[in-house]
Structure formats: structure tokens, C-alpha cells
Amino acid sequence: MLVPIFTLKLNHKVVPQTVAVGKYDGRHPALTCATTGGKVLVHSPHTKRQEYNQDISLLNINQQITSLAAGRLDPEADGDLLVVGSPTNILVYDINNNRDVFYKDCPDGANTVIIGMLGSFTSPLTLVGGNCSIQGYNKLGEDTFWTVTGDNVRSLCLADFDGDGMNELIVGSEDYDIRIFREDEIIAEMTETEVITNLCRLNEYRFGYALSNGTVGVYDGSIRAWRIKSKNRAVTTHGFDLNGDGVLELITGWSNGKIDARSDKTGEVIFKDNFDHSIAGIVQADYRLDSNAKGDQLICVSVEGEVKGFNPATGEVGTTLMNTNVEQETIRELSLRKQNLMLELKNYAENSKLALSGEAAVLAAALSGDLGRKNGAQGKGGFPGLKGLMPGGNSSGFDTSGGGGDGALRPGQTGLIAGQSSGGAPMGPGGQLALAGLLGSPGHSLIPGGQSQSGEFPNFKLGASSLGESGRTMGMIPANTQLETSILVNPGNQNVPPFVELKIATTNDTIIRAALIFAEGIFEGESHVIHPSAAAVSNSVSVPLIPPKDVPVDLHIKAMIGQKNSSHFHVFELTRELPRFSMFVLVDNEQPDPRSSVHFTLNERPQRAFMWLNQNFLLSQNLVCEGDLHVTFFSLRGSGLLRIRMSQAGQFAIHTDDMDLAGNVIQSLAEFLKIEDLQTIVDFPVETETLKQILIKVDELHRVRTKLTAEMADHSNLIRSMVVRAEDARIMGDMKSMRRGYMELSDLNRDLVAGYNIRCNNHQELVLGLKQINQIIQKASRVRVGKYKNQVVTLCRTAIKNNNTSSLFKIINTGVA
Amino acid sequence: MMQLDLTRVDYLQVGITCQKTMQVLPLTSKTQKIVVGDNDGQLQCFGLRKGQVQTLFQASKKNQISRVVLGGQIGGVRDRIFTSAGTEVNAFTKKGKNFLTFDTGITEPVQSIYVEGTDLLACGNFGFNHYCDCKESSYFLSSDKINDVICLPREKWNGLTPVLACQDRVLRVLQGSDVLYEAEVPGPPVVVELFGNNGGDEGNEILYGTSDGRIGLMQIGTLAPVHRWELPNMKRAGGVLCLDSYDITADGVLDLLVGRDDGQVEVYSYDEANEPVFRYCYTGSESITSVKGGVVAAAGFDEIVCANYAGWVFALTTEQLVKEVGLQKAAPDPVVTAKISNLKSELEGLQKQVSDERAKYHESAHSTKTVSAVPFFPINDKFVLNKDDASYSLSLELQSPIDNILLQSDVPVDLLDIEKNSAVVSYSACNPEDGNFLLATYRCQANTTRLEMKIRSIEGQYGTLQVYVTPRIQPKTCQLKQYPIKPLSLHQRIHAFDENRPHNTLTLKGQFSQAEVHSWLTFCLPEIPERPPAMDPAVFYFASTFLDTQLLCLYRKGEAVFKSDNISSISILKDVLSKEATKKKIRLDISFDINDDSVTHTLRLIHPKLEEQLLLAKKVQLIDALKELQVNEPDLSFMAPEYQEILKESEKLKAEFKRQPSHLERLYGMITDLYIDKFKFKGQNVKSKVPALLELLDTYELDSLIAFFENSA
């Protein structure tokens, strides 16, 4: 059992995610964190300040502190430097010598900062993640690195992702994407399901991440190794070898005060502990400076300032960090499995008992002679593109089970398991293959239990009368009941916005009492429930889906199937994939081209492009290749037409007014066709015009800002003199002048406050403008692939730096300067 | 005080167990034996040798075993095992000889029994029977469900004095077939035990545990009860299911062992004043159905033996099983290793069997004639009103892990998060037109067999809460459970009525029977016994858990009278009852007598609560600002004492504030209802004035509020 080797109370609140530890004098570690009121707290137990004889000192920043880092930015200096990020600037401060190293305005804000070596840079950098941009400063405050991402940067981490011996930068942003930058080139991009709030490096190519919805996981390279989800939120993650086996574990600090350590390979919990309050940060340092200590301790800090330090375990084989008896645990787990298997067996035994009696009823019913018709109808019926699956297929386990540090988890991308294990049938494009491989026989849909068809089957009623009651309450259903699903685009009407319609239906008279759909990113929570009112239950339900983004989504469907009024249902589970571009409906080619377009040439036949179309769009039937490709879609999200053309010669054109969409199409196409580099010619007059406007506006805002700053300086001079004058008057006893003086001062103060508000608004607009510029650059880069993609970012950056607007437009249009 | 350090050891697993179906036999050799009965009707007696379970005897009955108690000669050792299953009571010697099978002949299954010498007390849901030498000697019909039965020890009390724990919050003390008196307890008592296993010095002290988690000691005097102490449920722990007295701390004084339905096992010692003091708590994940102290595994080591709902019999032992504390691993125990490998091979066999069956089941789907029917699985559920925060707790427990739970409600209710739940909850958008006011899913972690939810209802809005439970067992099925949200859902039964308050009266007259009006009341109010009471007229008292207003229901054939100081309760009853009567096509003469003073009275009742909440909210608001000042100022003595107080108690204030989410809004809602209802009875619609009322509440003052109520006619 691992117990804290030290605990202490800082007696100050700690702002989450702003905890760092630095050896500011080069030898003694000091815990540093942001506290209330724009202050930085430094806890230095080893270098007590004589004058106060206390180990906590406070630095006044007088600004909201958004991020904090400590590290050896200057290898020649005595010790670590402290970097403090605020919404408008960063400050690099040398605590040991009590001096500012540099101070930089960051209009993009500093959401997160880290210090470390990046790529081929020879000296350490301070990397600042802001509003769509990442900037890197060296020890002199020169910004030697700059790049953009799709949205606000929320987390940064340095790790050698590809094993080339140099660090790559891992960036998590608010558009749910994790991007890996080899300097300013994006070498990998992974889409997650929520805002990425945390990233931390682990062993080799692995890194851990946390999302704002309570998910924590590990990527091995660009493949997700495992993830778990908890109802609590992970505040911070850290890689630390707690059990002494030489491998870093993923340590997570949760909003409910829990910390847990999980194996980086499997996600198994090897240690957990509890604080009374949410965790604010986890760091590591040799905090006791104990010569016997084997290395760093893991230091956890809560928002209320409680600190606990843990020594890693000795690393002997079979050691356990938790106070559990391994054998007892094993026995309990095995017994549990045994019990579950026994219960399942019991289910089958009971089922066959009932099925026998049920058979008799069915036979009686068969006399009614209606069976044949039903059979025939069912064998062929069904929806285009359906998959059916019986209950009893292997569990589909919505993929993020486990979490909260309770040891429950599913390694791997279990999302797919449902599809694979249940049917074993391969999934064809568009989901055309019936997955009903398990039990596909057509059949009889009579219900022993005497439902409404009394007129039709008199014999049946007689035969089944003995079974009636038990059949109903037990939710007995014909064994060959199948579940059919179809996904169609519903263009909506005046009152109903367009949506994608998922239709679930049973193949007989059994009803669907409720349907649960678990999917990530398309509902408010993680699930959506369809529960028709008791009068409206039928054998089918329809679920409107509105995917907010163009990403493929796995829908895990659980349908509760039974009889009307029964209190017991069979649960059918199946998984369907919603294609990436599901919010588009195919229309004819008659309408004129949208104004904007992207042109490029591919070394491919149109057939391949057709395959891509069939896989990524929701089509009622597969498009077949007939010479040139020329299709038009209408976006249900209101971004107008999307026309895709491709000639036999490989001339490809995408016509749409939405640059973002064009980028999505190109990225998806490139991924499908495995294109590494692609240069394109784009023409987006609207977007260009917007950019022009924004640039003008930003310029203007900058001017206003300068003016306002000058005004403020004037005012403050004035204030100084007025205070002196008023105080003089007071000392002289000239109350009248003093009064007047202070009145004036008060007026001026009001002016200042008003001025400040203007500056605030100005600043906000400026930030917005800059964000938009960054986003347009990002969009422009996304319509290219590979090295051309990065080239656009670099060139645009240079153009903006040199204030060369015309060149900026050229870069956006052609991809070259 | 010595720290209790107990380690959990699992002994064996049987089927689902009922409350109090496990006993530890008296010491005969070095160690004691355990006897346990389960819902499959299996009775098993076993001991342990070197950690291995050694079964002494087994017996099987057709019906589920509802109780296992020990009996013996008066004053002698209790070493005979009595079980109740169905309507039958069986007795076994400690060797397993079934020396008595006795059919009680009562119509309902026996729920609880107690044996004292040759006297057998057996209770069904409502009936109490006393058999002496298997001959019926007295009978009593309780007006509400009997949860447990006990009698005072005969060696100290000459006559037989049975005590029934009844659902309507009373302990009924009997004499022969008559009630000697009723002793009110703070919650519905679920379990009663003799204090110190012998009833204390005078043999008349009994411990009780309630379903809302309280424990108390009561002295059953000859004429009236004396409440000795009561442990409130401060930590909001689960309901008590079992109690025992055993000296686990080895200090020569018996300790109190408590088993709760949220999986907690607690140990309390007694201080000098004989008041219980908390000592130890073990938190499991399944309901603890029985708890007993004893020496079972190894001589000299006391342990707490527990049985839980899922059928695990386990012990919390004082023996140190992990020899070296710390990171070093104890050498693997050969016995345990053998046990594990045994289990493993057993599992393999089962696995194969299951996959065969699974294939067969899937095969059956190809047949056109078969049906698929999966049996019901037992759900241990509880839906109770919490008095402290006027909300409902819903707990669901299965034998197997839960996969997911879907909650659906056709009335507006709030679903509150419970900290200790690990399940991920997700709210789904819902459309009231489909009858959905709440749709939420709980996706559970692996191995979650028990889930708790908290639901807040609004009085006057009634309907049904439906819960679909899907366990993680193949073939996947789900079961529906329904819980009514009653119109006066926040009311609780009480046994006294204050006549001095100003009351509003509602009188209904018409052609209805007492049973009919009883069923309407059951529809309106919680905690009404299923059976119509035999009294004429029948009287029930209720109190609102939220406002402390009271309600009297008095009814007989053709007439029903309701009295309450809260005009809203009367208004709700009037609406619902007239609707129900219309449904049954019964004509009702409704008359009411509204006392205007009652509104002021209710406002005065609300006043202290509201003021307290407002003050609390204000204080909590100040905490952060004060804290910031604290950071800046080394010396805080300049601050006003009230601010210093706030700082000092900030944690406590915050915790309290967190414990009562949206309490203030609920109070505002009640006041608004009161306002609307007052004028509704006068035939005026004042909905348009509600915004003005809310504005007034923002700057709350009792007098101006009362004035507003009185003047805005």
C-alpha cells in the first residue's frame, strides 16, 4: 500500500492547471501555482526567506493567470525560470534574481504554456498556446516559432512522437483535434470527441490525453490504445513511474478529488487516492531533497491547497500499490464470472423450457394457414441497407465503459467490436450487407400471447390461451425477430429543419418500447433516447440525427423489444456507422456552379472517386461510374451546393462556397486515396473579401488601441499631479480646493473607467479578428495536403509579418508565394 | 482508542439472500459455524478449516428462505436453526437433523419469525401469529406491513411480549392478541434486535434500524416506551437492514454492528454514557442483508460475518491476512492457489457449456416456430422519501452487473447526481408531447450491481417514473419498474396532529365506499397501507417533509374530511380527488372551509427556513471575496466578527449549501403555489401577479409578504 510520504497545506486556493515545480536557484525545488487575485504562490521549503521566516511567498501579477510553467529556458542561467501566462501577455520571470527576463504581448492569449526542446531548435523554447496559434519564444523573447491550428489551443505537450530523437509538439484544441507538429509541419491529426484539455507524454511513442467530458486515454502513436470515461472531469494528467517498473504510468487528477494511476498499456488502475477537493495539478520533483530518496516524488495539489507527495514503489516484481489482497481479488473476480455464466445458463435453460411450450402454441397458430404469407413477406422485405441482429450477439459494449478510476475499462477501440464480433460478416460500403448472419431465417411473426389479430387467427388464440399471461409479462418474442435499420436523409420542411433519419424496425409485430442510441459528438450527452408514449408504441421508431460536424460517427443502438404492456423486453444491440458527409443530399446537376471552387489534378481514375463518394456520403443507392464524375449535393447545414467533378484525365474540381467544407472533402479524399502531397488552386471570392475586411478592421483596431494607450498614459500623468495638488491643499487646510481637486479626480477616474471599457471591447474585437485570420489561414491550408499544407501556413505567416496583404491572397489562392 | 483494522475475506456464494437469513451458531469447538439460507430455498451450514469451506449440512426447500433464526431452551444456548420458507417453518439441529416441519397454515408467506423457547412468532405481511408448541395461541392483524418481529426474553419477563416493527413508523408492543401500546420511531423500522443479545439488564431494551438509515435504542416499559438514544443518519448512508451486538473491539463491552443496504458495515462502540460512538466503516457495493459477530475462520480472531444481497458470505476479520504490511508480497498461500485453480477449471467447463447453449439459442432463431423468452431477473429496489431534503431515493440492485439504466418520467422531476455513483449519466432531449419529461441513461461501470439515484418531485404534479434496467447478462434483456409519483409526494405519515393550528377543511360527500376512498388516498399520498384499515372512520395524519405543515384524512363510507394548515395541500387533494371520482363516475359533493389565517400561519412556518436559506446563500456568496482578502492581509482582526465567522466556517457553509441544491427555488415555488391556491379558492386567478410576488421575494421580508398576500385581492 502506497501512502503519502508528506502532506502539507498551502492554505491558499490553487487555480486548476497552473501548478509547476521549478528549481529557481538551480538546486532547491519550489512548488509554484497560481492562486486567487492574480497572484503566484511559491512554496520553497528549502530556501526560507529570512525576513518572514515562512516558506510561502506570493508574487503579484495583477492579472488573471491562465497558465504557468517553470523550466530551464536559459541553459546558462543558474536555475529555472518561471513563465506566467495571462489572457493578454506572457511574463518570463527569474525568481532567484527577482527580475523580469522578458514580457511579451500575446493578443491571442496564453491558454497554456510549456518549456522544452522542440525539433531541431538548439535552445529551449517557451511554447505558448493561444487563440488558434502557437508561438515559441527563446530565452531572449524572440518568437522563433509560430504556427496555427484550427481552434483555441487548450493543451500542449512535447514528446518524441516518431522516434527520430527530436521532440514533436502535440497540440490539443477546442475543435476536438489532436495535431502533431514536427516543427511547423503537421505529421498526424487525430479527431477526438470533445475539447482536449490535457496532454502528457508517456513512454516511447505514447502520450496520454484528457477531454472535457471526462474521458481519459492513451494514444500509441496515432492509434488510440485505450480510453475510459468517467462522470467526473479529468483536471490534469501526468506521466510518472509510480510502481517502479521503469515504465511511466498515466496519473490523472479528477474534479472530484480522486487521483489514479493507470498502466499506460491497458488502462488498468494500479493505484488510487482521494483528496477532499478537486485536484488542481500534479507535478514531480525530489521535494524532500532526501539523499536516500530514489528519485522524484509525485506531488499532487488540490484546489484548496492540500499537497500530498508519494514516493514511487521499489519496483520489485508483484508489488501492489493498493491495499488489496490479490488472491482474494482473483477469487472474487472468478466467482463473479462464474456467477454470470451460471445466470446465462439459467436463462437458456428457462428459455428452452418456454420455447417448447411456445412451440405448441405456434403450431396451433400455424393451422390458421396464414403462416406462409407472413413468411414470404418477410424473407424479402426490409429496408435497403439494413443490418439485423438478434439479442444474444456478443455484447457491443459502447466503447468507453469503465472510468472514474474504478478499474473498469475496455482497452482498444471497442467501438468496432460490436460490428465484428456480433456478425462476423464484413461491413460493405454503405452498410449494405445484412449483418443478420447469426439468425437470419425468415419466419413467423405470431405472438403467443394473443395480440390484436384476434379476427385473423381464431385457432391460435385457443392454442395459446394457456400461455397468454406468462408470455406477455415475460416479454416473449418470436425467436426469429430481427431488427432492421435504415439511415436516410430527410430534407425536412418549413417547420422541421433537415435531418438524417435513423429508422429502426422489427420484422414482425413485436414492438420497440424504447431505443437508446449511444454515440459521441452528435448528442448533448452521450446518448439519445426514444421513448414513445404508451399509445404510440409500434414496431418501428424513427430517430432524427443532426451531426454537427463532418465526421463519421458510430451509432450504438440498443432497442428494447417486446410486447405491448409487457414489463420485460429483449434488448437488441447493434452498431451502425454514420458516414462522414451525411448531412448532404444528392440533387441534380442543373443549378449553376457555386461561385467558389478548388481545382487540382489527381493521378487516379474516376472509379476510385466513386468508391470514395459511396463510402462517405449517404446515398440511397450506390453511384456507378459512368465516365466523368459529376455530382451535386445540397448541404442540409445551409452552406449551399457542393458540386464535385472529375474528368477521366484526373481533373478534379470542387465547387462550394464553404471553404471549410472544401477542406474537409479534400482531407477525406486524400485519406481515402492515400495522397501524400497535393497542391490546389482555390478561388474563394467571398472568403477573400471577408479576409480583406478583417485585415482592414484589425489594422484600424490596432490604431485605436495605440491611441487609447496614449490617452491612458496622459490620464495617469494627470492623475498623479492632481493627487499631489489635492493632497497639498489638504495639508494647507484649503478644504475648498481639496474638494474641487478630488471632484476632478473622480471625474477623471470615471473617464478612465470608460476608457478601459472601450479598450476592453477593442481588445475583444481584435482577438476575434485575429482568430478569424488564423482560421482562414487554417482553412486555406486544409484545402492542400502534406507539405503544401504546411507551406501555406509558413508563407501566410511571413506575409502577415511583412504586412504584405496582396501576397497573402496569392498564397491562399495558389498555395505559393 | 485502538484503531480497528479489518480485512475482508470471502467465504462462499449462495443465491440471493433476504434480510436476516444468515446466523453464526454458538461456539462449540474452537470456531463457530455459519448457517445461511437463500432465495433458491437452499439452507447451508458450513465451517472453515484452514481457509477452506467445509459444508456440514445442506437442506433445500421449494420456497425462498425469508428468515433464519436461532432458538433454544429458555436461558439455554440458542443452537437450533429455524427457517421460514413459504408458509412453512422448519427447525434443524446443529447437526442438520430436520426435527420439525411445521406448516403455519396462514394464507400469506411467512416474512419474519422469532423463536423463544417453545414459542414461535411468525409474521406474514400483515398478520402476526403466535404458536406455543405449534398450537396457535394468539393472533394480531397489523394495519401496516410488519417488517420484523422479536419478543422480550422470557427469563426476565414472565409473559410473552412480542414487538412488531411496522412500516408505519411504529413498534407495536403486543400482549396476547392486543396492542399494549405503539411506540413511534423516526423512520419505518426494518429490523429489531435485543440490545446486547439479551435485552440489557432489565431485558427490555431493543435496538431498531430504519429504512432511512437511523438506529435507535428503546426501552420497552410496561406502560410506555423510553427512548434511550437515536443515531441520526447524518452521512446519508443507506437504510439499515441488520443489526448485531458483538465485542469486535475486544474491550469487554459489546459493540454495535450495523449492515446497511448501500453496502456499508459499521461498528459502533459505547461511551461512558452508553451512547454509541462511531468506530469503523467498511464500504461494500452490495446490500448487507445479515451481519453477525463470531469466531469462524481461526480461533482467537473475532470477525464480523456478513451476507449480502448477491449471496456472498464474507467476513471482516481482525486477523492480518497480508502478513507484511507494505509493498512486499506475502508468499502465495497454497490453499488459496488451489482454490483459484479450481475455480479456473470450473470456469472453463462453464464457458464451454455456455457457448454451446449460446449456439443452440442462436440456432433456434432459424426456426420459425420457437419463441425467445428470457426469465425475469430479481431486482432489489427501494424508492423512499428522504425526510431531510424532501427528495426521493431510488436504489436498484441486481444479482449481476448492470449494463445500463434508462429513466423515464411523464411528470417533471429533477434527477440529482449522487457523488458515489460511478455510472456516467446522460440526459436526452425529450418532448413533453410524447409524455416524456425526463429521459436519462446511466451507463454503468463493469461490476456495478447497485445504483442509487435521487429524484426531486413537485407536489401537485403526478405521474409515473419508469425505470428500464438492463443487466450485462446474455441474452440481453431489460425489465421495467414503475414508481408512482403521487400528487402529495412530499408528505409523510405521522402519528400526532396539532389541532391548534388554523385549518382549512375539505369535505367530500357522495356514494362511495370506504374502500374506494381508501384507494383514492393511496393514489394521492405515500405510505398508506395497501389494505383499507378496519377502523370506522379511518384516520391518517401526514406532515409535509418540506414545510412541516400537516394534513389529516378522515374517511368512512360516503364521507371524507381533509384538514390541513396548508391551503396548497387541500387544493391539490380537491383537484385530484374530483378527477378520480369523475373517472369512476361517482358524484361528489365538495365543500370547503377556508381559514385565511392559515395562509399567514404557513408563511410563518416557511419564514425561518427561507430566512436561513437566504442567509446561507448570502454567506456563501461572500466566502470567495473574503478569502481573497485573507490572502492579502496577514492580520484579519480588523474584520467584522460576522465576516471572521464566515471565514472560519466557510467549509461547513459550503457543504451545507451544496447539500441542499435549489432549496431556495423550491421554497419560492411553494410560496407561489400558496398564493395562487389561496385565491383559487376565492375564485380569482392571480397568475398575472406572480411576477410581482417573485420580485417581492427577491427582497424578502415576512411582513411585506404577508401584506402582499392579504392585500392583493
Side-chain angles (χ1 to χ4, degrees), chain A residues 1-2 12-13 36-37 39 58 229-231 277 304 313-314 316 318-321 325 327-328 330-332 334-348 350-351 354-355 358-359 362-363 375 390-395 398 400-404 406 408 410 438-444 448 473-480 513-514 516 518 525-529 531-533 558 560 566-571 573, chain B residues 7-10 13 40 282 286 310 312 321-322 326-333 336 339-340 343-344 346-347 350-351 353-354 357-358 361-377 399-401 403-406 408 417-429 433-436 439-441 443-447 466 468 470 472-480 624 627-628 631-632 651 654:
Chain A
M1 177 74 184
L2 195 65
H12 287 273
K13 281 193 187 264
T36 43
K39 290 189 181 62
L58 292 170
K229 189 176 171 189
S230 160
K231 69 168 190 170
H277 302 279
E304 295 291 329
T314 44
E316 279 163 40
T319 52
T320 159
L321 300 174
N325 189 324
E327 286 95 357
Q328 287 293 342
T330 326
I331 291 176
R332 204 169 305 157
L334 290 175
S335 309
L336 211 69
R337 271 172 53 197
K338 179 178 151 192
Q339 189 203 3
N340 289 346
L341 288 173
M342 298 284 274
L343 285 171
E344 190 176 341
L345 270 183
K346 201 174 124 197
N347 277 352
Y348 292 129
E350 292 279 328
N351 174 57
L354 288 158
E359 219 157 306
V362 169
L363 275 174
N375 271 346
M390 268 303 280
N394 287 330
S395 76
F398 179 54
T400 50
S401 50
D406 283 321
R410 285 277 144 85
L438 278 174
L439 345 116
S441 70
H444 174 355
T473 48
M474 288 200 71
M476 208 183 265
I477 61 167
N480 57 4
R513 186 64 199 91
L516 274 64
F518 287 89
E526 58 173 25
S527 67
H528 185 72
V529 182
H531 186 276
S533 67
K558 291 174 198 275
M560 296 170 182
S566 72
S567 60
H568 196 224
F569 304 92
H570 282 70
V571 178
E573 296 182 312
Chain B
T7 321
R8 173 173 168 157
V9 196
D10 290 344
Q13 190 176 23
D40 303 333
Y282 163 84
E286 290 123 348
W312 275 105
L321 289 173
V322 184
L327 297 165
Q328 266 61 37
K329 189 186 171 186
D333 189 342
V336 180
K339 211 167 162 184
I340 290 175
L343 262 174
K344 275 192 179 147
E346 211 175 316
L347 265 179
L350 269 176
Q351 193 80 54
Q353 216 179 329
V354 164
E357 287 293 330
R358 210 178 266 177
Y361 177 71
H362 289 163
E363 193 65 36
S364 78
H366 292 284
S367 142
T368 53
K369 294 166 193 156
T370 49
V371 291
S372 167
V374 178
F376 275 88
F377 47 88
Q399 197 180 10
S400 48
D403 184 72
N404 67 69
I405 283 178
L406 164 62
Q408 185 268 345
D417 187 43
I418 288 194
E419 194 96 337
K420 61 187 170 194
N421 274 354
S422 58
V424 179
V425 59
S426 159
Y427 296 88
S428 174
E433 280 165 28
D434 294 338
N436 295 322
L439 283 173
T441 56
R443 192 165 50 81
C444 298
Q445 314 279 349
N447 297 341
Q466 302 200 90
Y468 296 84
T470 312
R472 227 171 252 208
I473 293 281
Q474 296 298 339
K476 275 237 173 117
T477 55
C478 89
Q479 219 160 290
L480 169 65
D624 273 347
K627 279 253 161 115
E628 197 169 331
V631 171
N632 284 319
E651 292 304 308
K654 269 188 185 169

Side-chain angles (χ1 to χ4, degrees), chain B residues 195 201 205 217 228-229 253 269-277:
Chain B
F195 174 67
D201 296 336
E205 289 174 320
L217 177 68
R228 297 292 292 274
W229 50 258
V253 183
S269 298
Y270 296 99
D271 63 9
E272 291 80 5
N274 284 326
E275 296 266 336
V277 186

Side-chain angles (χ1 to χ4, degrees), chain B residues 58-218:
Chain B
Q58 273 178 317
S60 93
K61 293 281 162 249
K62 211 170 79 215
N63 296 311
Q64 72 171 58
I65 294 176
S66 53
R67 275 287 192 286
V68 175
V69 298
L70 298 180
Q73 280 168 349
I74 294 173
V77 187
R78 287 180 174 262
D79 61 353
R80 303 197 154 170
I81 304 153
F82 291 81
T83 65
S84 62
T87 58
E88 221 175 56
V89 174
N90 277 280
F92 301 85
T93 62
K94 61 184 176 184
K95 299 265 186 262
K97 185 167 164 260
N98 187 350
F99 67 90
L100 173 76
T101 300
F102 169 59
D103 192 342
T104 57
I106 45 178
T107 46
E108 48 183 356
V110 175
Q111 299 295 338
S112 48
I113 53 170
Y114 190 76
V115 178
E116 177 76 12
T118 54
D119 293 301
L120 166 70
L121 313 178
C123 298
N125 273 325
F126 294 96
F128 158 83
N129 292 272
H130 169 209
Y131 303 91
C132 191
D133 284 324
C134 295
K135 281 184 206 69
E136 184 165 342
S137 70
S138 61
Y139 174 77
F140 169 74
L141 189 66
S142 163
S143 57
D144 208 339
K145 196 171 162 262
I146 303 171
N147 289 324
D148 202 5
V149 60
I150 204 168
C151 78
L152 298 183
R154 257 212 139 137
E155 67 240 53
K156 291 177 187 159
W157 287 77
N158 276 328
L160 189 80
T161 316
V163 179
L164 308 182
C166 299
Q167 186 64 28
D168 52 357
R169 288 162 216 275
V170 288
L171 300 179
R172 293 199 160 82
V173 183
L174 302 185
Q175 198 162 47
S177 299
D178 302 310
V179 179
L180 186 63
Y181 57 80
E182 290 180 352
E184 205 177 328
V185 290
V190 182
V191 52
V192 279
E193 292 284 353
L194 292 175
F195 174 67
N197 299 327
N198 59 9
D201 296 336
E202 290 176 49
N204 61 356
E205 289 174 320
I206 58 168
L207 292 161
Y208 61 84
T210 68
S211 64
D212 58 357
R214 297 160 203 261
I215 306 160
L217 177 68
M218 187 171 316

